[in-house]
Amino acid sequence: MTTDLTAHPPVTGPPTLDEVAVLAGVSRATVSRVVNESPKVSPEAREAVQAAIAQLRYVPNRMARSLVTRRTDTIALVLSEPNSQVFSDPFFASIVHGVSAALAETDLTLVLLTARDAREQQKIARYARQGHVDGVVLMSLHSEDLLPDILSDAGVPLVLCGRPYDGRSVAYVDADNQGGAQVATEHLIGLGRARVAVLTGPMDMIAGVDRHAGWLRATTDAGRRPDPALVAHGDFTEAGGEAAMARLLDQAPDLDAVFVASDPMAVGALRALRAAGRRVPEDVAVVGFDDADVARVCDPPLTTVAQPLDVMTTELVELLGRQIDGRAAPAETRTCPTRLVRRASA
Amino acid sequence: MTTDLTAHPPVTGPPTLDEVAVLAGVSRATVSRVVNESPKVSPEAREAVQAAIAQLRYVPNRMARSLVTRRTDTIALVLSEPNSQVFSDPFFASIVHGVSAALAETDLTLVLLTARDAREQQKIARYARQGHVDGVVLMSLHSEDLLPDILSDAGVPLVLCGRPYDGRSVAYVDADNQGGAQVATEHLIGLGRARVAVLTGPMDMIAGVDRHAGWLRATTDAGRRPDPALVAHGDFTEAGGEAAMARLLDQAPDLDAVFVASDPMAVGALRALRAAGRRVPEDVAVVGFDDADVARVCDPPLTTVAQPLDVMTTELVELLGRQIDGRAAPAETRTCPTRLVRRASA
DNA sequence: GGAATTCGTGGAAGCGCTCCCACGAACCCT
DNA sequence: AGGGTTCGTGGGAGCGCTTCCACGAATTCC
C-alpha cells in the first residue's frame, strides 16, 4: 500500500492556494487567476473559488508571490536623519501623509524606515537590497549621507525628496526653494524694508542652502550688498529659530524684516521678537517657509512660502512607479513651483 | 546533443545562491550553511564561499528564505491614529526611538506603519496577515480601534503599547499611568495647594482615562470632594493644552495647582497661565507627564512624571519576541512604574 | 585492524505561488 | 462539414532558498 500523495496533510499553517483549489474543485492555476483578477475565468469557477477563499479565510502568501513576480508591492519611505526630532517637523509629517495618500489609490503599502546612524543606514540598505521593497523614497539628506550611493549602486529604484546636496545624477522631486526664498525676500523688500535679514536652515542640507541662496539673490538683485550680520543659521526647529533670531537681533539691531527658512523656526523667531519688544509686522516683517498648519494659527498669522505638497508627493510616487516599471528616463527630476501666501506678518 | 543544464544562464537579476555555489566549487547546501553561520563547515569551504559571495556581491533573497523559514525578521510598529499630528508627540517619537534601539542589537528590522482610517487599518491588517512581518507592536489606541481584533484573530503576534481600552485579553506593556498621576497629584497636595485641577488627555484613550483616575484617587484619598470645575479635557497637544488651561482658569479662577496629563499640553498650559498673568509656581503649581525633552527647557522647567521608556520598549520587544518564538504565556502584560521628576514648576 | 563513530558534504524535496504551454470544447467562418 | 479561432482550464516547471537525509572520508575506540 502506497501513501496517497493527494491526501490533505494535517492542517498546520494558514490555508494555501492548493487547499482552496481542492475545496473549489479546480486547479491551482484557476485559483491564482481568480485571486489576481484575471478575466479568463468562467463565472461559475470564479464563484466557487471565491466561496472557498471565504470559507478557508485564505490570504495569499506574499512571500511566495514575490518570489516569482519579483514584486513586493511595498515601497519604503526612508528618513535618513541623525536627529530624532525630525519627526516633529510638520513638513516631514506632511510628506508622509501625502505619500501615503497618493499610495492609497494603489494597492501599494508604505513602510517607514528611519536611519539615525551609519549602522542603521546599512541595515536599511540591506533591507532594500534583499528585495523587501520595490522602491525607496529617501528624504532629509544631509551632505554626508551614504544611502543614495548604496541604494543606487544596488540598483534599487530610488527617488529623493529634495535635491541631492552634491550634483549626483539621481531622480528627485524638490520644491523651488531658491525661487520661493527669492520671492519671499523680494516681497519684504517691496514692502519698503531696508534691512532684510535671513534666518537659514542647516547649511548641510540643500533646502537650507537653496533658501539662503534665494535670499542672497533677491538682496543683490535689489542692488544691496549682503551684510553678514543679517544672516543667522538655525536648524529648522522652533527652539533653534528662537535662539537664532535672538542672535540676529544682537548682530543687527536695526533689522526691519526677516525671511525665516521654515515655519517652525519662524514661530520661534516670533517669540524671540516679542521677547525683544519688537512688534510684528510693524517693527519687523516676517516671512516663513512651508505654510505649515502652525503658520495659520500663530500670532500674528505668518506670511509664508507654500510648497505644493500634494503635487510633490504625487510626483514622488509617480516617478518612483515609473522607475519600478523600468519605463523611467534616468535621473528624472521635478522642481515644483512655490507660492507666497500673504497673511499678517508681512 | 543535449542542452547542458548546468550551464550558466545569461546573468539576469542579482546573483543567486547557486551562482555562488558554482563559483566557490561547492554545493548550494554548503553556501547556505555559510550564510547562516552553521558551524558544520570546513574552514576552506567557508573561505571559498565567502570569497565568492564578496566577488558576486551576493545578497540572499529574503523572500525565498522567508518562504521556507516562515520568518521575515521584521516587526512592525503600527501607529493607529486618525490624527496625523501624533507624529509630533515626543512620546511617540521616544517609543519609536526606543524600540528601534532595542532592535538594533538583533538583526530584526523595524517598519513603521500608520493607519489613519479604517481603510488603512485594513491595508495594514492585510499586510501583516500576508506574512510580511513576524509580529506587531501597536500603539496609540483609541477605544474604537479595530486593529487589535483583526490582528489577534489572524494569529499575528501582537503586543500593545498601552493598556487596551476594554479589558480584552492581549499582551501589552504600559506605564503605571494611574499611579504616576496619583503621585503627581499627591505632590501638589503635599505642597499645600488647596485647589488642584487636572487637565486630562482624550478620554477615549486609556492613558487619558488612567491619568485622570490617578488625580481622582489622590483627590479623594486626601478627603477632598472632586470638583467638576477643576477638570478640563485636552488632546495631548500643546495647542489643546493651552486652550484647555484657559477654560480651566475660566471655570475655576481660584485654582492654585494643576496636574497636566502630558508635557506638550503642560507647555501650552504654561503659556495660557502666563497670558492670564499667573506666576508658575507661585500662583499655580504645575506638574506634567512624560518627562519629554521640552520639560527640561521650558520656562519654568517642568516637574513631571517620567516613564521608564527604555524599560518599556525593551519589554515590548521582549514580549513580542517571546510570542514570535511561541514561548509566551498568553496575554502577558507589564506595567512599568513611573517616577516623579522635580523641577521648578511645582 | 575492523567496527563504530564523528564530520563535512551534496542530492533532492519542497515552501506557496505564477505563468507558460498544451489541450479539449465550443464557436465561427467559408 | 472541416479547418480555423477563440476560450477556460489544468499540468508542470521553476522562483531562491533551507533542511532532511544519506554518503564517503577521516578519525576514534576496544
Coordinates of all heavy atoms in Angstrom, one line a residue, chain A residues 184-246:
Chain A
A184 N 10.0 85.5 -1.5 CA 9.7 86.0 -0.1 C 10.5 87.2 0.2 O 10.0 88.2 0.7 CB 10.0 84.9 0.8
T185 N 11.8 87.2 -0.2 CA 12.7 88.3 0.1 C 12.3 89.5 -0.7 O 12.3 90.7 -0.2 CB 14.1 87.9 -0.1 OG1 14.4 86.7 0.5 CG2 15.1 89.0 0.4
E186 N 12.0 89.3 -1.9 CA 11.5 90.4 -2.8 C 10.3 91.1 -2.2 O 10.1 92.3 -2.2 CB 11.2 89.9 -4.2 CG 12.5 89.7 -5.0 CD 12.3 88.9 -6.3 OE1 11.1 88.4 -6.5 OE2 13.3 88.7 -7.0
H187 N 9.4 90.2 -1.7 CA 8.2 90.7 -1.1 C 8.5 91.7 0.1 O 8.0 92.8 0.2 CB 7.3 89.6 -0.6 CG 6.1 90.0 0.2 ND1 5.1 90.7 -0.3 CD2 5.9 89.9 1.6 CE1 4.2 90.9 0.6 NE2 4.6 90.4 1.8
L188 N 9.5 91.2 0.9 CA 9.9 92.0 2.0 C 10.5 93.4 1.6 O 10.2 94.4 2.1 CB 10.9 91.2 2.8 CG 10.6 90.5 4.2 CD1 9.1 90.5 4.5 CD2 11.2 89.2 4.2
I189 N 11.3 93.3 0.6 CA 12.0 94.5 0.0 C 10.9 95.4 -0.6 O 10.9 96.6 -0.4 CB 13.0 94.1 -1.1 CG1 14.2 93.4 -0.4 CG2 13.5 95.3 -1.8 CD1 15.2 92.8 -1.3
G190 N 10.0 94.8 -1.3 CA 8.9 95.5 -1.9 C 8.0 96.3 -0.9 O 7.4 97.3 -1.2
L191 N 8.0 95.7 0.4 CA 7.3 96.4 1.4 C 8.0 97.6 1.9 O 7.5 98.3 2.8 CB 7.2 95.4 2.6 CG 5.8 94.7 2.9 CD1 4.9 94.6 1.7 CD2 6.1 93.4 3.6
G192 N 9.2 97.9 1.4 CA 9.9 99.0 1.7 C 10.9 98.8 2.9 O 11.5 99.7 3.5
R193 N 11.1 97.5 3.2 CA 12.0 97.3 4.3 C 13.5 97.4 3.8 O 13.8 97.0 2.8 CB 11.8 95.8 4.8 CG 10.4 95.5 5.2 CD 10.0 96.3 6.4 NE 8.6 96.3 6.7 CZ 8.0 96.3 7.9 NH1 8.8 96.3 9.0 NH2 6.7 96.2 8.0
A194 N 14.3 98.0 4.7 CA 15.6 98.4 4.3 C 16.6 97.3 4.7 O 17.6 97.1 4.0 CB 16.0 99.7 5.0
R195 N 16.4 96.7 5.8 CA 17.4 95.7 6.4 C 16.7 94.4 6.5 O 16.1 94.1 7.5 CB 17.9 96.2 7.7 CG 18.6 97.6 7.7 CD 20.1 97.4 7.3 NE 20.8 96.8 8.4 CZ 22.0 96.2 8.3 NH1 22.6 96.2 7.1 NH2 22.6 95.7 9.3
V196 N 16.8 93.6 5.4 CA 16.1 92.3 5.4 C 17.0 91.2 5.8 O 17.9 90.9 5.0 CB 15.5 92.0 4.0 CG1 14.7 90.7 4.0 CG2 14.5 93.2 3.6
A197 N 16.8 90.6 6.9 CA 17.7 89.6 7.4 C 17.2 88.2 6.9 O 16.1 88.1 6.4 CB 17.8 89.6 8.9
V198 N 18.0 87.2 7.1 CA 17.6 85.8 6.8 C 18.0 84.9 8.0 O 19.1 85.0 8.6 CB 18.3 85.3 5.5 CG1 19.8 85.3 5.6 CG2 17.7 84.0 5.1
L199 N 17.1 84.0 8.3 CA 17.4 83.0 9.3 C 17.3 81.7 8.5 O 16.3 81.2 8.2 CB 16.3 83.1 10.3 CG 16.6 82.7 11.7 CD1 15.5 83.2 12.7 CD2 16.7 81.2 11.8
T200 N 18.5 81.1 8.3 CA 18.6 79.9 7.4 C 18.3 78.6 8.1 O 18.3 78.6 9.3 CB 20.0 79.8 6.7 OG1 20.9 79.3 7.7 CG2 20.5 81.2 6.3
G201 N 18.2 77.6 7.3 CA 18.2 76.2 7.9 C 19.7 75.8 8.0 O 20.6 76.5 7.7
P202 N 19.9 74.5 8.3 CA 21.2 74.0 8.4 C 21.9 74.0 7.0 O 21.2 73.7 6.0 CB 21.0 72.5 8.8 CG 19.6 72.3 9.1 CD 18.9 73.5 8.6
M203 N 23.1 74.5 6.9 CA 23.7 74.6 5.6 C 24.3 73.3 5.1 O 25.0 73.3 4.0 CB 24.8 75.7 5.7 CG 24.2 77.1 6.1 SD 22.9 77.7 4.9 CE 24.0 78.5 3.7
D204 N 24.1 72.2 5.8 CA 24.5 70.9 5.2 C 23.3 70.2 4.6 O 23.4 69.1 4.2 CB 25.2 70.1 6.2 CG 24.3 69.5 7.3 OD1 23.2 70.2 7.5 OD2 24.6 68.5 7.8
M205 N 22.2 71.0 4.6 CA 21.0 70.4 3.8 C 20.8 71.3 2.7 O 20.8 72.6 2.8 CB 19.8 70.4 4.7 CG 19.8 69.4 5.8 SD 18.1 69.1 6.3 CE 18.2 69.1 8.1
I206 N 20.4 70.7 1.6 CA 20.3 71.5 0.3 C 19.1 72.6 0.5 O 19.2 73.7 -0.1 CB 20.1 70.6 -0.9 CG1 20.3 71.4 -2.2 CG2 18.7 70.0 -0.9 CD1 21.8 71.7 -2.3
A207 N 18.1 72.2 1.2 CA 17.0 73.2 1.4 C 17.5 74.4 2.1 O 17.1 75.5 1.8 CB 15.8 72.5 2.1
G208 N 18.4 74.2 3.1 CA 18.9 75.3 3.8 C 19.8 76.2 2.9 O 19.6 77.4 2.9
V209 N 20.6 75.5 2.1 CA 21.5 76.2 1.2 C 20.6 77.0 0.1 O 20.9 78.2 -0.1 CB 22.4 75.2 0.4 CG1 23.1 75.9 -0.7 CG2 23.3 74.6 1.4
D210 N 19.7 76.3 -0.5 CA 18.9 77.0 -1.5 C 18.1 78.1 -1.0 O 17.9 79.2 -1.7 CB 17.9 75.9 -2.2 CG 18.7 75.0 -3.1 OD1 19.9 75.2 -3.3 OD2 18.1 74.0 -3.6
R211 N 17.5 78.0 0.1 CA 16.7 79.1 0.6 C 17.6 80.3 1.0 O 17.2 81.5 0.8 CB 15.8 78.7 1.8 CG 14.8 77.6 1.4 CD 14.0 77.0 2.5 NE 13.2 75.9 2.0 CZ 12.5 75.1 2.8 NH1 12.3 75.3 4.0 NH2 11.9 74.0 2.2
H212 N 18.7 80.0 1.5 CA 19.7 81.1 1.7 C 20.1 81.8 0.4 O 20.1 83.0 0.3 CB 20.9 80.6 2.4 CG 22.0 81.6 2.5 ND1 23.1 81.6 1.6 CD2 22.2 82.6 3.3 CE1 23.9 82.6 1.9 NE2 23.4 83.2 3.0
A213 N 20.3 80.9 -0.6 CA 20.7 81.5 -1.9 C 19.6 82.4 -2.5 O 19.9 83.4 -3.2 CB 20.9 80.3 -2.9
G214 N 18.3 82.0 -2.3 CA 17.2 82.8 -2.8 C 17.2 84.2 -2.1 O 17.0 85.2 -2.8
W215 N 17.5 84.2 -0.8 CA 17.6 85.5 -0.1 C 18.7 86.3 -0.7 O 18.6 87.5 -1.0 CB 17.8 85.2 1.4 CG 18.2 86.5 2.1 CD1 17.3 87.4 2.7 CD2 19.5 86.9 2.4 NE1 18.0 88.4 3.3 CE2 19.4 88.1 3.2 CE3 20.8 86.4 2.2 CZ2 20.5 88.8 3.7 CZ3 21.9 87.1 2.6 CH2 21.7 88.3 3.4
L216 N 19.8 85.7 -0.9 CA 21.0 86.3 -1.4 C 20.8 86.9 -2.8 O 21.1 88.1 -3.1 CB 22.2 85.3 -1.5 CG 23.6 85.9 -1.7 CD1 23.9 86.7 -0.5 CD2 24.6 84.7 -1.8
R217 N 20.1 86.2 -3.6 CA 19.8 86.6 -5.0 C 18.9 87.8 -5.0 O 19.2 88.8 -5.7 CB 19.1 85.4 -5.7 CG 18.7 85.7 -7.1 CD 20.0 85.7 -8.0 NE 19.6 86.2 -9.3 CZ 19.2 85.5 -10.3 NH1 19.0 84.2 -10.1 NH2 18.9 86.0 -11.5
A218 N 17.9 87.8 -4.2 CA 16.9 88.9 -4.1 C 17.6 90.1 -3.6 O 17.4 91.3 -4.0 CB 15.7 88.5 -3.2
T219 N 18.5 89.9 -2.6 CA 19.2 91.0 -2.0 C 20.1 91.7 -3.0 O 20.1 92.9 -3.2 CB 20.0 90.5 -0.8 OG1 19.2 89.9 0.2 CG2 20.8 91.7 -0.1
T220 N 20.9 90.9 -3.7 CA 21.9 91.5 -4.6 C 21.1 92.1 -5.8 O 21.4 93.1 -6.4 CB 22.9 90.5 -5.1 OG1 22.3 89.3 -5.6 CG2 23.8 90.1 -3.9
D221 N 20.0 91.4 -6.3 CA 19.2 91.9 -7.4 C 18.7 93.2 -7.1 O 18.4 94.1 -8.0 CB 18.1 90.9 -7.7 CG 18.5 89.8 -8.6 OD1 19.7 89.7 -8.8 OD2 17.6 89.0 -9.0
A222 N 18.4 93.5 -5.8 CA 17.9 94.8 -5.4 C 19.0 95.8 -5.2 O 18.8 97.0 -4.8 CB 17.1 94.7 -4.1
G223 N 20.2 95.4 -5.6 CA 21.3 96.3 -5.6 C 21.9 96.5 -4.2 O 22.6 97.5 -3.9
R224 N 21.6 95.6 -3.3 CA 22.1 95.7 -1.9 C 23.3 94.8 -1.7 O 23.4 93.8 -2.3 CB 21.0 95.4 -0.9 CG 19.8 96.2 -1.1 CD 18.7 95.8 -0.1 NE 17.5 96.7 -0.3 CZ 16.5 96.6 0.5 NH1 16.4 95.7 1.5 NH2 15.5 97.4 0.3
R225 N 24.2 95.3 -0.8 CA 25.3 94.5 -0.5 C 24.9 93.5 0.6 O 24.4 94.0 1.7 CB 26.5 95.4 0.0 CG 27.8 94.8 -0.1 CD 28.9 95.7 0.3 NE 28.6 96.3 1.6 CZ 28.8 95.7 2.7 NH1 29.2 94.4 2.7 NH2 28.5 96.2 3.9
P226 N 25.0 92.3 0.4 CA 24.6 91.3 1.5 C 25.5 91.5 2.8 O 26.7 91.4 2.7 CB 24.8 89.9 0.9 CG 25.7 90.1 -0.3 CD 25.5 91.5 -0.8
D227 N 24.8 91.8 3.9 CA 25.5 92.0 5.1 C 25.6 90.8 6.0 O 24.5 90.2 6.3 CB 24.8 93.1 5.8 CG 25.4 93.5 7.2 OD1 26.4 92.8 7.6 OD2 25.0 94.5 7.8
P228 N 26.8 90.3 6.3 CA 26.9 89.0 7.1 C 26.1 89.2 8.4 O 25.7 88.1 8.9 CB 28.4 88.9 7.3 CG 29.0 89.7 6.2 CD 28.1 90.8 5.9
A229 N 26.0 90.3 8.9 CA 25.3 90.5 10.2 C 23.8 90.2 10.0 O 23.1 90.0 11.0 CB 25.5 91.9 10.7
L230 N 23.3 90.2 8.8 CA 21.9 89.9 8.6 C 21.6 88.4 8.4 O 20.5 88.0 8.0 CB 21.4 90.7 7.3 CG 21.3 92.2 7.5 CD1 20.9 92.9 6.2 CD2 20.3 92.5 8.6
V231 N 22.6 87.6 8.6 CA 22.5 86.2 8.4 C 22.7 85.4 9.7 O 23.7 85.6 10.4 CB 23.5 85.6 7.3 CG1 23.3 84.1 7.1 CG2 23.3 86.4 6.0
A232 N 21.7 84.5 10.0 CA 21.9 83.6 11.2 C 21.5 82.2 10.7 O 20.6 82.1 9.9 CB 21.2 84.1 12.4
H233 N 22.1 81.2 11.3 CA 21.8 79.9 10.9 C 21.0 79.1 12.0 O 21.4 79.1 13.1 CB 23.1 79.1 10.6 CG 23.9 79.7 9.5 ND1 23.4 79.8 8.2 CD2 25.1 80.3 9.5 CE1 24.3 80.4 7.5 NE2 25.3 80.7 8.2
G234 N 19.9 78.5 11.6 CA 19.1 77.7 12.5 C 19.1 76.3 12.1 O 19.9 75.9 11.3
D235 N 18.3 75.5 12.7 CA 18.3 74.1 12.4 C 16.9 73.5 12.0 O 16.6 72.4 12.2 CB 18.8 73.3 13.6 CG 17.9 73.5 14.8 OD1 17.0 74.3 14.7 OD2 18.2 72.9 15.9
F236 N 16.0 74.4 11.6 CA 14.7 74.1 11.2 C 13.8 73.8 12.3 O 12.6 73.4 12.1 CB 14.6 72.9 10.2 CG 15.0 73.3 8.8 CD1 15.6 72.3 7.9 CD2 14.7 74.5 8.3 CE1 15.9 72.7 6.6 CE2 15.0 74.9 7.0 CZ 15.6 74.0 6.1
T237 N 14.2 73.9 13.6 CA 13.3 73.7 14.7 C 12.9 75.0 15.3 O 13.5 76.0 15.1 CB 14.0 72.9 15.8 OG1 15.0 73.7 16.5 CG2 14.6 71.6 15.3
E238 N 11.8 74.9 16.1 CA 11.3 76.1 16.7 C 12.3 76.7 17.7 O 12.5 77.9 17.7 CB 10.0 75.7 17.4 CG 9.2 76.9 18.0 CD 7.9 76.5 18.5 OE1 7.3 75.6 18.0 OE2 7.4 77.1 19.5
A239 N 12.8 75.8 18.5 CA 13.8 76.3 19.5 C 15.0 76.9 18.8 O 15.5 78.0 19.2 CB 14.2 75.2 20.4
G240 N 15.5 76.3 17.8 CA 16.6 76.8 17.0 C 16.3 78.2 16.4 O 17.2 79.1 16.4
G241 N 15.1 78.3 16.0 CA 14.7 79.6 15.4 C 14.7 80.7 16.4 O 15.1 81.8 16.1
E242 N 14.2 80.4 17.6 CA 14.1 81.4 18.6 C 15.5 81.8 19.0 O 15.8 83.0 19.0 CB 13.4 80.8 19.8 CG 13.2 81.8 21.0 CD 12.2 81.2 22.0 OE1 11.8 80.1 21.9 OE2 12.0 81.9 23.0
A243 N 16.4 80.9 19.1 CA 17.8 81.2 19.5 C 18.5 82.1 18.4 O 19.1 83.1 18.7 CB 18.6 80.0 19.8
A244 N 18.3 81.6 17.2 CA 18.9 82.3 16.0 C 18.4 83.7 15.9 O 19.1 84.6 15.5 CB 18.7 81.5 14.8
M245 N 17.1 83.9 16.1 CA 16.5 85.2 16.0 C 17.1 86.1 17.0 O 17.4 87.3 16.8 CB 15.0 85.1 16.2 CG 14.3 86.4 15.9 SD 14.2 86.8 14.1 CE 14.9 88.5 14.2
A246 N 17.3 85.6 18.2 CA 17.9 86.4 19.3 C 19.3 86.8 18.9 O 19.7 88.0 19.0 CB 18.0 85.6 20.6

